[in-house]
mmCIF file of all heavy atoms in Angstrom:
data_model
loop_
_atom_site.group_PDB
_atom_site.id
_atom_site.type_symbol
_atom_site.label_atom_id
_atom_site.label_comp_id
_atom_site.label_asym_id
_atom_site.label_seq_id
_atom_site.Cartn_x
_atom_site.Cartn_y
_atom_site.Cartn_z
ATOM 1 N N GLY A 1085 64.236 84.326 158.226
ATOM 2 C CA GLY A 1085 63.666 85.638 157.867
ATOM 3 C C GLY A 1085 64.319 86.794 158.574
ATOM 4 O O GLY A 1085 63.843 87.930 158.506
ATOM 5 N N LEU A 1086 65.451 86.590 159.250
ATOM 6 C CA LEU A 1086 66.152 87.652 159.926
ATOM 7 C C LEU A 1086 67.015 88.430 158.930
ATOM 8 O O LEU A 1086 67.516 87.839 157.959
ATOM 9 C CB LEU A 1086 67.026 87.091 161.043
ATOM 10 C CG LEU A 1086 66.301 86.158 162.046
ATOM 11 C CD1 LEU A 1086 67.260 85.664 163.140
ATOM 12 C CD2 LEU A 1086 65.093 86.856 162.659
ATOM 13 N N LYS A 1087 67.170 89.718 159.149
ATOM 14 C CA LYS A 1087 67.786 90.593 158.163
ATOM 15 C C LYS A 1087 69.130 91.136 158.642
ATOM 16 O O LYS A 1087 69.382 91.312 159.831
ATOM 17 C CB LYS A 1087 66.852 91.763 157.827
ATOM 18 C CG LYS A 1087 65.417 91.385 157.478
ATOM 19 C CD LYS A 1087 65.298 90.516 156.245
ATOM 20 C CE LYS A 1087 63.860 90.396 155.739
ATOM 21 N NZ LYS A 1087 62.971 89.646 156.640
ATOM 22 N N GLN A 1088 69.985 91.474 157.672
ATOM 23 C CA GLN A 1088 71.244 92.146 157.961
ATOM 24 C C GLN A 1088 71.007 93.638 158.157
ATOM 25 O O GLN A 1088 70.025 94.202 157.683
ATOM 26 C CB GLN A 1088 72.216 91.980 156.800
ATOM 27 C CG GLN A 1088 72.852 90.632 156.671
ATOM 28 C CD GLN A 1088 73.850 90.545 155.519
ATOM 29 O OE1 GLN A 1088 73.755 89.644 154.708
ATOM 30 N NE2 GLN A 1088 74.797 91.481 155.447
ATOM 31 N N TYR A 1089 71.959 94.273 158.823
ATOM 32 C CA TYR A 1089 72.016 95.733 158.915
ATOM 33 C C TYR A 1089 73.163 96.253 158.055
ATOM 34 O O TYR A 1089 72.950 96.939 157.086
ATOM 35 C CB TYR A 1089 72.182 96.165 160.386
ATOM 36 C CG TYR A 1089 71.999 97.652 160.588
ATOM 37 C CD1 TYR A 1089 70.799 98.164 161.059
ATOM 38 C CD2 TYR A 1089 73.037 98.566 160.323
ATOM 39 C CE1 TYR A 1089 70.623 99.540 161.258
ATOM 40 C CE2 TYR A 1089 72.856 99.930 160.515
ATOM 41 C CZ TYR A 1089 71.658 100.409 160.980
ATOM 42 O OH TYR A 1089 71.470 101.765 161.160
ATOM 43 N N PHE A 1090 74.394 95.908 158.439
ATOM 44 C CA PHE A 1090 75.544 96.268 157.638
ATOM 45 C C PHE A 1090 75.937 95.105 156.716
ATOM 46 O O PHE A 1090 75.564 93.970 156.943
ATOM 47 C CB PHE A 1090 76.751 96.605 158.524
ATOM 48 C CG PHE A 1090 76.597 97.908 159.273
ATOM 49 C CD1 PHE A 1090 76.557 97.917 160.667
ATOM 50 C CD2 PHE A 1090 76.473 99.120 158.621
ATOM 51 C CE1 PHE A 1090 76.423 99.098 161.385
ATOM 52 C CE2 PHE A 1090 76.352 100.301 159.313
ATOM 53 C CZ PHE A 1090 76.310 100.305 160.696
ATOM 54 N N PHE A 1091 76.731 95.448 155.711
ATOM 55 C CA PHE A 1091 77.237 94.446 154.783
ATOM 56 C C PHE A 1091 78.772 94.563 154.773
ATOM 57 O O PHE A 1091 79.349 95.361 154.048
ATOM 58 C CB PHE A 1091 76.705 94.713 153.372
ATOM 59 C CG PHE A 1091 76.645 93.495 152.502
ATOM 60 C CD1 PHE A 1091 75.487 93.172 151.805
ATOM 61 C CD2 PHE A 1091 77.764 92.672 152.359
ATOM 62 C CE1 PHE A 1091 75.438 92.057 151.012
ATOM 63 C CE2 PHE A 1091 77.714 91.547 151.542
ATOM 64 C CZ PHE A 1091 76.537 91.242 150.865
ATOM 65 N N PRO A 1092 79.457 93.778 155.616
ATOM 66 C CA PRO A 1092 80.907 93.914 155.724
ATOM 67 C C PRO A 1092 81.613 93.674 154.394
ATOM 68 O O PRO A 1092 81.350 92.679 153.715
ATOM 69 C CB PRO A 1092 81.288 92.825 156.753
ATOM 70 C CG PRO A 1092 80.022 92.557 157.527
ATOM 71 C CD PRO A 1092 78.922 92.745 156.543
ATOM 72 N N LEU A 1093 82.498 94.572 154.032
ATOM 73 C CA LEU A 1093 83.293 94.415 152.819
ATOM 74 C C LEU A 1093 84.789 94.308 153.115
ATOM 75 O O LEU A 1093 85.573 94.054 152.190
ATOM 76 C CB LEU A 1093 83.027 95.571 151.849
ATOM 77 C CG LEU A 1093 81.588 95.638 151.303
ATOM 78 C CD1 LEU A 1093 81.390 96.848 150.413
ATOM 79 C CD2 LEU A 1093 81.215 94.364 150.570
ATOM 80 N N ALA A 1094 85.183 94.492 154.367
ATOM 81 C CA ALA A 1094 86.552 94.147 154.766
ATOM 82 C C ALA A 1094 86.673 92.614 154.803
ATOM 83 O O ALA A 1094 85.697 91.894 155.006
ATOM 84 C CB ALA A 1094 86.885 94.736 156.124
ATOM 85 N N ALA A 1095 87.879 92.119 154.608
ATOM 86 C CA ALA A 1095 88.091 90.686 154.505
ATOM 87 C C ALA A 1095 87.978 89.980 155.851
ATOM 88 O O ALA A 1095 88.369 90.519 156.888
ATOM 89 C CB ALA A 1095 89.463 90.404 153.889
ATOM 90 N N GLY A 1096 87.431 88.769 155.816
ATOM 91 C CA GLY A 1096 87.435 87.886 156.976
ATOM 92 C C GLY A 1096 86.243 88.001 157.891
ATOM 93 O O GLY A 1096 86.193 87.350 158.943
ATOM 94 N N TYR A 1097 85.269 88.835 157.532
ATOM 95 C CA TYR A 1097 84.044 88.917 158.337
ATOM 96 C C TYR A 1097 82.956 88.054 157.721
ATOM 97 O O TYR A 1097 83.185 87.318 156.776
ATOM 98 C CB TYR A 1097 83.601 90.383 158.479
ATOM 99 C CG TYR A 1097 84.535 91.225 159.319
ATOM 100 C CD1 TYR A 1097 85.066 92.407 158.792
ATOM 101 C CD2 TYR A 1097 84.898 90.835 160.592
ATOM 102 C CE1 TYR A 1097 85.949 93.189 159.545
ATOM 103 C CE2 TYR A 1097 85.766 91.618 161.353
ATOM 104 C CZ TYR A 1097 86.271 92.778 160.827
ATOM 105 O OH TYR A 1097 87.149 93.542 161.584
ATOM 106 N N TRP A 1098 81.773 88.144 158.268
ATOM 107 C CA TRP A 1098 80.661 87.256 157.879
ATOM 108 C C TRP A 1098 79.361 88.026 157.992
ATOM 109 O O TRP A 1098 79.290 89.133 158.520
ATOM 110 C CB TRP A 1098 80.643 86.028 158.798
ATOM 111 C CG TRP A 1098 80.639 86.409 160.262
ATOM 112 C CD1 TRP A 1098 79.550 86.632 161.049
ATOM 113 C CD2 TRP A 1098 81.772 86.633 161.105
ATOM 114 N NE1 TRP A 1098 79.927 86.997 162.324
ATOM 115 C CE2 TRP A 1098 81.296 86.998 162.383
ATOM 116 C CE3 TRP A 1098 83.149 86.553 160.889
ATOM 117 C CZ2 TRP A 1098 82.148 87.291 163.439
ATOM 118 C CZ3 TRP A 1098 84.003 86.863 161.947
ATOM 119 C CH2 TRP A 1098 83.499 87.211 163.202
ATOM 120 N N ARG A 1099 78.314 87.427 157.510
ATOM 121 C CA ARG A 1099 76.979 88.013 157.651
ATOM 122 C C ARG A 1099 76.487 87.844 159.078
ATOM 123 O O ARG A 1099 76.604 86.769 159.667
ATOM 124 C CB ARG A 1099 75.977 87.320 156.709
ATOM 125 C CG ARG A 1099 76.273 87.449 155.238
ATOM 126 C CD ARG A 1099 75.142 86.789 154.434
ATOM 127 N NE ARG A 1099 75.405 86.669 153.024
ATOM 128 C CZ ARG A 1099 75.090 87.593 152.114
ATOM 129 N NH1 ARG A 1099 74.516 88.732 152.515
ATOM 130 N NH2 ARG A 1099 75.341 87.417 150.837
ATOM 131 N N SER A 1100 75.917 88.897 159.631
ATOM 132 C CA SER A 1100 75.240 88.808 160.922
ATOM 133 C C SER A 1100 73.844 89.395 160.775
ATOM 134 O O SER A 1100 73.611 90.234 159.882
ATOM 135 C CB SER A 1100 76.017 89.516 162.030
ATOM 136 O OG SER A 1100 76.256 90.867 161.695
ATOM 137 N N TYR A 1101 72.936 88.992 161.645
ATOM 138 C CA TYR A 1101 71.520 89.320 161.486
ATOM 139 C C TYR A 1101 70.941 89.816 162.802
ATOM 140 O O TYR A 1101 71.430 89.502 163.884
ATOM 141 C CB TYR A 1101 70.732 88.070 161.034
ATOM 142 C CG TYR A 1101 71.294 87.392 159.813
ATOM 143 C CD1 TYR A 1101 72.214 86.346 159.928
ATOM 144 C CD2 TYR A 1101 70.897 87.800 158.537
ATOM 145 C CE1 TYR A 1101 72.721 85.729 158.810
ATOM 146 C CE2 TYR A 1101 71.424 87.161 157.405
ATOM 147 C CZ TYR A 1101 72.326 86.132 157.549
ATOM 148 O OH TYR A 1101 72.835 85.523 156.437
ATOM 149 N N GLY A 1102 69.855 90.541 162.689
ATOM 150 C CA GLY A 1102 69.089 90.936 163.859
ATOM 151 C C GLY A 1102 68.272 89.760 164.365
ATOM 152 O O GLY A 1102 67.988 88.808 163.648
ATOM 153 N N SER A 1103 67.862 89.829 165.605
ATOM 154 C CA SER A 1103 67.084 88.761 166.207
ATOM 155 C C SER A 1103 65.614 88.867 165.772
ATOM 156 O O SER A 1103 65.180 89.869 165.210
ATOM 157 C CB SER A 1103 67.171 88.838 167.739
ATOM 158 O OG SER A 1103 66.625 90.070 168.188
ATOM 159 N N ALA A 1104 64.865 87.821 166.064
ATOM 160 C CA ALA A 1104 63.465 87.772 165.634
ATOM 161 C C ALA A 1104 62.591 88.766 166.366
ATOM 162 O O ALA A 1104 61.670 89.347 165.775
ATOM 163 C CB ALA A 1104 62.917 86.370 165.793
ATOM 164 N N GLU A 1105 62.859 89.016 167.669
ATOM 165 C CA GLU A 1105 61.943 89.822 168.464
ATOM 166 C C GLU A 1105 62.651 90.883 169.310
ATOM 167 O O GLU A 1105 62.002 91.589 170.083
ATOM 168 C CB GLU A 1105 61.112 88.926 169.384
ATOM 169 C CG GLU A 1105 60.217 87.962 168.624
ATOM 170 C CD GLU A 1105 59.251 87.222 169.558
ATOM 171 O OE1 GLU A 1105 59.323 87.426 170.788
ATOM 172 O OE2 GLU A 1105 58.415 86.447 169.034
ATOM 173 N N ASP A 1106 63.949 91.047 169.140
ATOM 174 C CA ASP A 1106 64.676 91.990 169.990
ATOM 175 C C ASP A 1106 65.670 92.806 169.208
ATOM 176 O O ASP A 1106 66.757 93.103 169.699
ATOM 177 C CB ASP A 1106 65.373 91.230 171.124
ATOM 178 C CG ASP A 1106 65.820 92.158 172.248
ATOM 179 O OD1 ASP A 1106 65.189 93.220 172.424
ATOM 180 O OD2 ASP A 1106 66.827 91.849 172.936
ATOM 181 N N SER A 1107 65.287 93.175 167.970
ATOM 182 C CA SER A 1107 66.133 94.044 167.154
ATOM 183 C C SER A 1107 65.269 95.121 166.480
ATOM 184 O O SER A 1107 65.295 96.274 166.863
ATOM 185 C CB SER A 1107 66.923 93.241 166.103
ATOM 186 O OG SER A 1107 67.850 92.375 166.736
ATOM 187 N N PHE A 1108 64.544 94.730 165.453
ATOM 188 C CA PHE A 1108 63.632 95.629 164.734
ATOM 189 C C PHE A 1108 64.327 96.927 164.298
ATOM 190 O O PHE A 1108 63.851 98.026 164.564
ATOM 191 C CB PHE A 1108 62.366 95.914 165.558
ATOM 192 C CG PHE A 1108 61.506 94.699 165.786
ATOM 193 C CD1 PHE A 1108 61.489 94.094 167.024
ATOM 194 C CD2 PHE A 1108 60.773 94.177 164.752
ATOM 195 C CE1 PHE A 1108 60.705 92.957 167.234
ATOM 196 C CE2 PHE A 1108 59.999 93.035 164.935
ATOM 197 C CZ PHE A 1108 59.969 92.421 166.192
ATOM 198 N N TRP A 1109 65.464 96.735 163.621
ATOM 199 C CA TRP A 1109 66.192 97.847 163.085
ATOM 200 C C TRP A 1109 65.445 98.487 161.896
ATOM 201 O O TRP A 1109 64.478 97.896 161.366
ATOM 202 C CB TRP A 1109 67.530 97.390 162.531
ATOM 203 C CG TRP A 1109 68.409 96.641 163.491
ATOM 204 C CD1 TRP A 1109 68.611 96.896 164.803
ATOM 205 C CD2 TRP A 1109 69.238 95.513 163.156
ATOM 206 N NE1 TRP A 1109 69.515 96.009 165.324
ATOM 207 C CE2 TRP A 1109 69.940 95.160 164.327
ATOM 208 C CE3 TRP A 1109 69.481 94.804 161.986
ATOM 209 C CZ2 TRP A 1109 70.832 94.094 164.362
ATOM 210 C CZ3 TRP A 1109 70.383 93.751 161.999
ATOM 211 C CH2 TRP A 1109 71.043 93.395 163.174
ATOM 212 N N CYS A 1110 65.934 99.604 161.458
ATOM 213 C CA CYS A 1110 65.413 100.171 160.196
ATOM 214 C C CYS A 1110 65.601 99.162 159.056
ATOM 215 O O CYS A 1110 64.731 99.015 158.182
ATOM 216 C CB CYS A 1110 66.102 101.481 159.877
ATOM 217 S SG CYS A 1110 67.922 101.425 159.904
ATOM 218 N N CYS A 1111 66.745 98.451 159.065
ATOM 219 C CA CYS A 1111 67.024 97.501 157.991
ATOM 220 C C CYS A 1111 66.193 96.233 158.118
ATOM 221 O O CYS A 1111 66.014 95.526 157.131
ATOM 222 C CB CYS A 1111 68.510 97.143 157.988
ATOM 223 S SG CYS A 1111 69.580 98.586 157.624
ATOM 224 N N THR A 1112 65.695 95.941 159.334
ATOM 225 C CA THR A 1112 64.696 94.876 159.461
ATOM 226 C C THR A 1112 63.463 95.266 158.650
ATOM 227 O O THR A 1112 62.883 94.439 157.923
ATOM 228 C CB THR A 1112 64.295 94.670 160.921
ATOM 229 O OG1 THR A 1112 65.463 94.530 161.739
ATOM 230 C CG2 THR A 1112 63.414 93.444 161.081
ATOM 231 N N GLY A 1113 63.080 96.527 158.769
ATOM 232 C CA GLY A 1113 61.874 96.998 158.111
ATOM 233 C C GLY A 1113 62.003 97.121 156.600
ATOM 234 O O GLY A 1113 61.146 96.628 155.853
ATOM 235 N N THR A 1114 63.072 97.771 156.143
ATOM 236 C CA THR A 1114 63.222 97.896 154.697
ATOM 237 C C THR A 1114 63.479 96.532 154.037
ATOM 238 O O THR A 1114 63.043 96.287 152.908
ATOM 239 C CB THR A 1114 64.364 98.867 154.336
ATOM 240 O OG1 THR A 1114 65.565 98.461 155.014
ATOM 241 C CG2 THR A 1114 64.009 100.293 154.736
ATOM 242 N N GLY A 1115 64.159 95.641 154.788
ATOM 243 C CA GLY A 1115 64.320 94.295 154.261
ATOM 244 C C GLY A 1115 63.019 93.564 154.124
ATOM 245 O O GLY A 1115 62.737 92.898 153.134
ATOM 246 N N ALA A 1116 62.139 93.683 155.142
ATOM 247 C CA ALA A 1116 60.824 93.063 155.070
ATOM 248 C C ALA A 1116 60.022 93.593 153.888
ATOM 249 O O ALA A 1116 59.289 92.857 153.233
ATOM 250 C CB ALA A 1116 60.070 93.285 156.377
ATOM 251 N N GLU A 1117 60.183 94.895 153.605
ATOM 252 C CA GLU A 1117 59.490 95.464 152.448
ATOM 253 C C GLU A 1117 60.074 94.956 151.131
ATOM 254 O O GLU A 1117 59.341 94.502 150.248
ATOM 255 C CB GLU A 1117 59.582 96.990 152.478
ATOM 256 C CG GLU A 1117 58.798 97.640 153.596
ATOM 257 C CD GLU A 1117 58.821 99.173 153.502
ATOM 258 O OE1 GLU A 1117 58.818 99.679 152.367
ATOM 259 O OE2 GLU A 1117 58.891 99.827 154.548
ATOM 260 N N ASP A 1118 61.401 95.030 150.997
ATOM 261 C CA ASP A 1118 62.020 94.575 149.747
ATOM 262 C C ASP A 1118 61.707 93.126 149.437
ATOM 263 O O ASP A 1118 61.399 92.796 148.272
ATOM 264 C CB ASP A 1118 63.549 94.744 149.849
ATOM 265 C CG ASP A 1118 64.051 96.038 149.249
ATOM 266 O OD1 ASP A 1118 63.280 96.697 148.514
ATOM 267 O OD2 ASP A 1118 65.197 96.406 149.519
ATOM 268 N N PHE A 1119 61.753 92.264 150.434
ATOM 269 C CA PHE A 1119 61.520 90.846 150.193
ATOM 270 C C PHE A 1119 60.042 90.552 149.958
ATOM 271 O O PHE A 1119 59.698 89.434 149.580
ATOM 272 C CB PHE A 1119 62.071 90.020 151.358
ATOM 273 C CG PHE A 1119 63.569 89.837 151.302
ATOM 274 C CD1 PHE A 1119 64.426 90.876 151.566
ATOM 275 C CD2 PHE A 1119 64.123 88.631 150.954
ATOM 276 C CE1 PHE A 1119 65.808 90.740 151.512
ATOM 277 C CE2 PHE A 1119 65.505 88.444 150.893
ATOM 278 C CZ PHE A 1119 66.346 89.512 151.176
ATOM 279 N N ALA A 1120 59.183 91.537 150.163
ATOM 280 C CA ALA A 1120 57.750 91.379 149.879
ATOM 281 C C ALA A 1120 57.366 91.953 148.528
ATOM 282 O O ALA A 1120 56.233 91.768 148.090
ATOM 283 C CB ALA A 1120 56.922 92.058 150.970
ATOM 284 N N LYS A 1121 58.308 92.642 147.834
ATOM 285 C CA LYS A 1121 57.936 93.277 146.568
ATOM 286 C C LYS A 1121 58.987 93.049 145.496
ATOM 287 O O LYS A 1121 59.274 93.928 144.677
ATOM 288 C CB LYS A 1121 57.683 94.773 146.779
ATOM 289 C CG LYS A 1121 58.849 95.599 147.295
ATOM 290 C CD LYS A 1121 58.399 97.042 147.510
ATOM 291 C CE LYS A 1121 59.511 97.936 148.041
ATOM 292 N NZ LYS A 1121 60.464 98.350 147.011
ATOM 293 N N PHE A 1122 59.517 91.843 145.438
ATOM 294 C CA PHE A 1122 60.467 91.520 144.379
ATOM 295 C C PHE A 1122 59.849 91.652 143.003
ATOM 296 O O PHE A 1122 60.553 91.826 142.002
ATOM 297 C CB PHE A 1122 61.003 90.099 144.565
ATOM 298 C CG PHE A 1122 62.036 89.938 145.620
ATOM 299 C CD1 PHE A 1122 62.014 88.832 146.467
ATOM 300 C CD2 PHE A 1122 63.052 90.876 145.796
ATOM 301 C CE1 PHE A 1122 62.974 88.676 147.470
ATOM 302 C CE2 PHE A 1122 64.021 90.724 146.783
ATOM 303 C CZ PHE A 1122 63.972 89.613 147.617
ATOM 304 N N GLY A 1123 58.524 91.555 142.911
ATOM 305 C CA GLY A 1123 57.878 91.608 141.605
ATOM 306 C C GLY A 1123 57.673 92.999 141.053
ATOM 307 O O GLY A 1123 57.164 93.140 139.927
ATOM 308 N N ASP A 1124 58.092 94.038 141.754
ATOM 309 C CA ASP A 1124 57.681 95.381 141.345
ATOM 310 C C ASP A 1124 58.528 95.988 140.223
ATOM 311 O O ASP A 1124 58.129 96.989 139.636
ATOM 312 C CB ASP A 1124 57.599 96.339 142.537
ATOM 313 C CG ASP A 1124 58.979 96.826 143.043
ATOM 314 O OD1 ASP A 1124 59.994 96.232 142.640
ATOM 315 O OD2 ASP A 1124 59.005 97.790 143.817
ATOM 316 N N SER A 1125 59.661 95.390 139.896
ATOM 317 C CA SER A 1125 60.510 95.986 138.861
ATOM 318 C C SER A 1125 60.963 94.975 137.810
ATOM 319 O O SER A 1125 61.920 95.216 137.078
ATOM 320 C CB SER A 1125 61.746 96.641 139.500
ATOM 321 O OG SER A 1125 61.356 97.738 140.299
ATOM 322 N N ILE A 1126 60.277 93.840 137.745
ATOM 323 C CA ILE A 1126 60.589 92.855 136.702
ATOM 324 C C ILE A 1126 60.088 93.352 135.349
ATOM 325 O O ILE A 1126 60.774 93.268 134.342
ATOM 326 C CB ILE A 1126 59.986 91.488 137.041
ATOM 327 C CG1 ILE A 1126 60.476 91.003 138.400
ATOM 328 C CG2 ILE A 1126 60.340 90.470 135.959
ATOM 329 C CD1 ILE A 1126 59.818 89.720 138.872
ATOM 330 N N TYR A 1127 58.879 93.901 135.326
ATOM 331 C CA TYR A 1127 58.229 94.318 134.100
ATOM 332 C C TYR A 1127 57.737 95.750 134.233
ATOM 333 O O TYR A 1127 57.309 96.191 135.301
ATOM 334 C CB TYR A 1127 57.014 93.418 133.789
ATOM 335 C CG TYR A 1127 57.307 91.954 133.808
ATOM 336 C CD1 TYR A 1127 56.997 91.169 134.936
ATOM 337 C CD2 TYR A 1127 57.888 91.311 132.710
ATOM 338 C CE1 TYR A 1127 57.276 89.813 134.937
ATOM 339 C CE2 TYR A 1127 58.143 89.955 132.720
ATOM 340 C CZ TYR A 1127 57.838 89.209 133.853
ATOM 341 O OH TYR A 1127 58.118 87.869 133.874
ATOM 342 N N PHE A 1128 57.797 96.488 133.116
ATOM 343 C CA PHE A 1128 57.170 97.806 132.996
ATOM 344 C C PHE A 1128 56.431 97.820 131.670
ATOM 345 O O PHE A 1128 56.527 96.873 130.854
ATOM 346 C CB PHE A 1128 58.223 98.905 133.015
ATOM 347 C CG PHE A 1128 58.900 99.090 134.345
ATOM 348 C CD1 PHE A 1128 59.910 98.241 134.768
ATOM 349 C CD2 PHE A 1128 58.532 100.113 135.200
ATOM 350 C CE1 PHE A 1128 60.529 98.386 135.990
ATOM 351 C CE2 PHE A 1128 59.137 100.284 136.432
ATOM 352 C CZ PHE A 1128 60.138 99.437 136.835
#
């Protein structure tokens, strides 16, 4: 359940994540929201 902050697009890098209890970035928060509301734009 750990989230990314940046998304590297230069070649040869990898995904990195914040820690469970010692990061709490803005992207930790928006990620927690997005992954809790995947159902909000499937249907209108």
Side-chain angles (χ1 to χ4, degrees):
L1086 308 181
K1087 310 298 193 293
Q1088 285 182 231
Y1089 190 99
F1090 290 117
F1091 205 129
L1093 296 178
Y1097 292 126
W1098 52 89
R1099 297 183 188 270
S1100 56
Y1101 307 92
S1103 62
E1105 298 188 357
D1106 195 27
S1107 294
F1108 294 107
W1109 306 320
C1110 52
C1111 297
T1112 310
T1114 53
E1117 291 185 36
D1118 265 345
F1119 282 72
K1121 60 183 180 78
F1122 283 139
D1124 76 346
S1125 295
I1126 303 174
Y1127 308 99
F1128 291 79

